[in-house]
Amino acid sequence: THPRPEARSRMDHPFTVVVAIDFGTTSSGYAFSFTQDPEAIHMMRRWEGGDPGVANQKSPTSLLLTPELKFHSFGFAARDNYHDLDPEEAQHWLYFDKFKMKIHSTTDLTMETELEAVSGRKVRAIEVFSHALRFFRVHALKEVKDQSSSLLEGDEVRWVITVPAVWRQPAKQFMREAAYLAGLVSPDTPEQLLIALEPEAASIYCRKLRLHQVIDLSLRPMTNGLSLESDGSRPFDSSFRQAREQLRKARHSRTFLVERGTGELWSEMQTGDRYIVADCGGGTVDLTVHQIEQPQGTLKELYKVSGGPYGAVGVDLAFEAMLCKIFGEDFIESFKAKRPAAWVDLTIAFEARKRTATPGRSNALNISLPFSFIDFYKRYRGQSVETALRKSNMNIVKWSSQGMLRLTPEAMNELFQPTINNIIKHIEELMQRQEVQGVRFLFLVGGFAESPMLQRAAQNALGQTCRIIIPQDVGLTILKGAVLFGLDPTVVRVRRCPLTYGVGVLNRFVEGRHPRDKLLVKEGRDWCTDILDRFVSVDQSVALGEVVRRSYTPARSGQRKIIINIYCSVSDDVVYISDPGVRKCGAITLDLPEALPGTVAGAERREIRATMQFGDTEIKVTAVDMATNQTVRAAIDFLSN
């Protein structure tokens, strides 16, 4: 997609407002800022509904569609409406939550990939995502219009959507296609939409922090490297109480002011200081390593992003596995299918409890089982839930006479441990890397970073090696950073390639160097096929605006399209596109204009020069017909593989 000529001139005075959508696994939100007043970030309105006691700065990422597949509601409203449906009816409605994870885990993502609703009905994933984005578009624009004095045209809004940095190219493109479908921007003006990487957005915001806006875990009293449980945990908890109190006060004002330039925290940092941002979200953990460049305060990525599906959802899945162990997998599957709304209730009840889990607590956490669970179990198995618990030998889960599951602190620990261990292990492995030596700060951000369980584990494992810093509004860090990114996308100046990318080419065959099975004889010449022509290598640093150029010639005159397959690999020591670990991941399409009248067709071999950019959050391509200097329509596609 190439910008239209008038779109280019608009870039001088591009947008009046930036709207960022943090589309999370468990919760989502939006925020915006007017380009005239970039220090003020406006957070979205409080949501109707919501769990008492939870700050509703974001809304649950839950979507409800009618049996006719029409949009019904999103967020708390979707939750409540689904809950109120009669069980028979609920089986025909489509309720989705945590659906973002599917995009990460699907290896061959396309526009046809389907998602399964809680009731088992399926619908195209792209539809689900675009319904959610359309909901945010309507809400955000309404709120922006209420706050802006002038009349807003659609093309004055720059949209930013966040995605995990560990997402591959197809998933990023999928988000962009969903945004086109939702009508956020038109495919003719692709530059109006930015895809932001979550940990990068967090990093951009962390640059602005002041000391009173963070909690510094490294300032805790330590004894032999472990905090004292009895009294050592008290300062830990009280500083959080203070922070939460400040946050509560700040919540009444929805406009958040950011520093001009960089915040005080950075004044302690020298040029060249390195830090890690660990974005611990619902679905993924994303680690990025940045170096700050003074005085301009731009950021440079030092090592390719890493992480994986180790978000807070892992704890929920562990809870589900525990229920399967106690009550039988067949029962849980059957209960989900027959009583989908009650199942959702149970998961929500667990999630609320999960948030209150702290290390070193002595009393059990109670989770009330929905009545229909107890009733359904009795009819299904012919025995009571209580009997099932006794027989299961799970001594860490008890039954209370009030109809509650009592999870002992050991049980809670067991549910959290695997996920937390994965996160810590990942950070430790990253710190061992050559490129990451001498990291002084670790920022924990994302919703899961609010968990005292994760905080304590990080403090114990990493507190000796670097300062661990948690922004107070840790669940909103990415959202605020995404707005800042939309105001100035050039702040991240250098990124690292996550993969090696290239195309297959023919080279002259060299006897003894090339394998015989790659030999192709063409017009009396010996060629070697399948050689990988690298565009970029894995972990190569690429600066903003740096490009890779290649020329292509149509094989025959009158050809209207050139299609070039793109291959990628996680390792760099590959020679041929047929090597193990190399896979076809996308294609570049060049649309050739007709040859100019007056030229003899085929007399001159036309040369199309393609220019690719790898320094942005997405891979882009443009192309020019060298003979006429005309722009050629060029598209790069990772979704229709």
Side-chain angles (χ1 to χ4, degrees), residues 407-427:
L407 296 186
T408 60
E410 296 83 47
M412 245 358 200
N413 263 337
E414 214 163 279
L415 295 179
F416 273 88
Q417 232 38 63
T419 301
I420 287 180
N421 287 347
N422 268 323
I423 296 173
I424 302 291
K425 190 178 104 210
H426 241 81
I427 299 174

Side-chain angles (χ1 to χ4, degrees), residues 10-19 31-42 144 147-150 152 155-160 194 260 482-489:
R10 277 215 36 244
M11 293 306 276
D12 313 333
H13 159 68
F15 307 103
T16 51
V17 62
V18 169
V19 183
F32 56 94
S33 176
F34 295 100
T35 43
Q36 276 86 16
D37 183 15
E39 266 96 52
I41 297 178
H42 307 276
V144 168
Q147 291 211 24
S148 91
S149 41
S150 59
L152 259 187
D155 61 356
E156 288 181 61
V157 182
R158 163 170 265 170
W159 294 89
V160 180
L194 292 178
R260 258 176 216 274
V483 175
L484 296 173
F485 179 68
L487 291 166
D488 177 17

Side-chain angles (χ1 to χ4, degrees), residues 298-313:
T298 49
L299 299 173
K300 205 171 140 185
E301 192 174 30
L302 292 182
Y303 184 69
K304 68 174 195 291
V305 71
S306 62
Y310 313 122
V313 168

Side-chain angles (χ1 to χ4, degrees), residues 520-552:
L520 172 75
V521 181
K522 194 173 158 188
E523 291 159 14
R525 287 215 173 129
D526 288 359
W527 297 95
C528 178
T529 61
D530 287 352
I531 289 179
L532 179 74
D533 168 28
R534 267 178 197 62
F535 294 158
V536 287
S537 295
V538 62
D539 205 36
Q540 177 186 336
S541 71
V542 187
L544 224 47
E546 212 176 295
V547 295
V548 178
R549 289 206 172 86
R550 291 289 189 277
S551 292
Y552 296 103

Side-chain angles (χ1 to χ4, degrees), residues 477-609:
T477 313
I478 288 158
L479 193 46
K480 292 174 179 174
V483 175
L484 296 173
F485 179 68
L487 291 166
D488 177 17
T490 63
V491 47
V492 181
R493 218 182 45 74
V494 177
R495 290 188 176 88
R496 298 281 175 151
C497 297
L499 297 166
T500 293
Y501 285 102
V503 295
V505 294
L506 293 177
N507 278 358
R508 297 303 283 277
F509 191 87
V510 179
E511 199 57 63
R513 190 166 107 213
H514 293 139
R516 297 296 302 178
D517 61 342
K518 301 269 181 216
L519 175 64
L520 172 75
V521 181
K522 194 173 158 188
E523 291 159 14
R525 287 215 173 129
D526 288 359
W527 297 95
C528 178
T529 61
D530 287 352
I531 289 179
L532 179 74
D533 168 28
R534 267 178 197 62
F535 294 158
V536 287
S537 295
V538 62
D539 205 36
Q540 177 186 336
S541 71
V542 187
L544 224 47
E546 212 176 295
V547 295
V548 178
R549 289 206 172 86
R550 291 289 189 277
S551 292
Y552 296 103
T553 305
R556 40 174 212 286
S557 60
Q559 187 175 335
R560 301 304 307 274
K561 247 189 197 359
I562 299 181
I563 295 178
I564 302 143
N565 286 333
I566 300 175
Y567 295 87
C568 69
S569 156
V570 288
S571 116
D572 197 37
D573 53 345
V574 289
V575 182
Y576 304 103
I577 58 174
S578 54
D579 285 351
V582 180
R583 53 191 180 85
K584 174 176 173 277
C585 60
I588 298 173
T589 307
L590 306 173
D591 287 338
L592 307 182
E594 296 204 43
L596 294 175
T599 55
V600 185
E604 39 132 15
R605 296 293 299 262
R606 295 169 65 186
E607 183 190 337
I608 309 294
R609 176 171 288 177

Side-chain angles (χ1 to χ4, degrees), residues 299-352:
L299 299 173
K300 205 171 140 185
E301 192 174 30
L302 292 182
Y303 184 69
K304 68 174 195 291
V305 71
S306 62
Y310 313 122
V313 168
V315 183
D316 307 333
L317 294 173
F319 174 64
E320 188 179 323
M322 181 186 269
L323 291 178
C324 288
K325 221 159 141 185
I326 300 169
F327 301 108
E329 202 170 327
D330 56 329
F331 166 72
I332 297 293
E333 285 312 309
S334 175
F335 180 67
K336 272 188 194 172
K338 295 283 195 298
R339 298 278 184 277
W343 170 254
V344 171
D345 274 359
L346 179 53
T347 55
I348 290 169
F350 173 73
E351 267 170 48

Side-chain angles (χ1 to χ4, degrees), residues 243-298:
R244 292 223 164 93
E245 189 52 32
Q246 279 171 330
L247 204 52
R248 210 177 52 71
K249 289 192 187 117
R251 285 238 160 81
H252 295 302
S253 137
R254 283 210 330 281
T255 299
F256 183 86
L257 294 170
V258 245
E259 299 291 291
R260 258 176 216 274
T262 49
E264 309 170 289
L265 202 57
W266 303 110
S267 54
E268 297 185 27
M269 288 184 118
Q270 281 85 50
T271 294
D273 261 353
R274 299 141 176 238
Y275 62 95
I276 293 178
V277 175
D279 167 21
C280 310
T284 45
V285 167
D286 248 349
L287 307 176
T288 189
V289 190
H290 277 161
Q291 186 169 41
I292 193 153
E293 304 176 302
Q294 303 290 25
Q296 65 277 42
T298 49

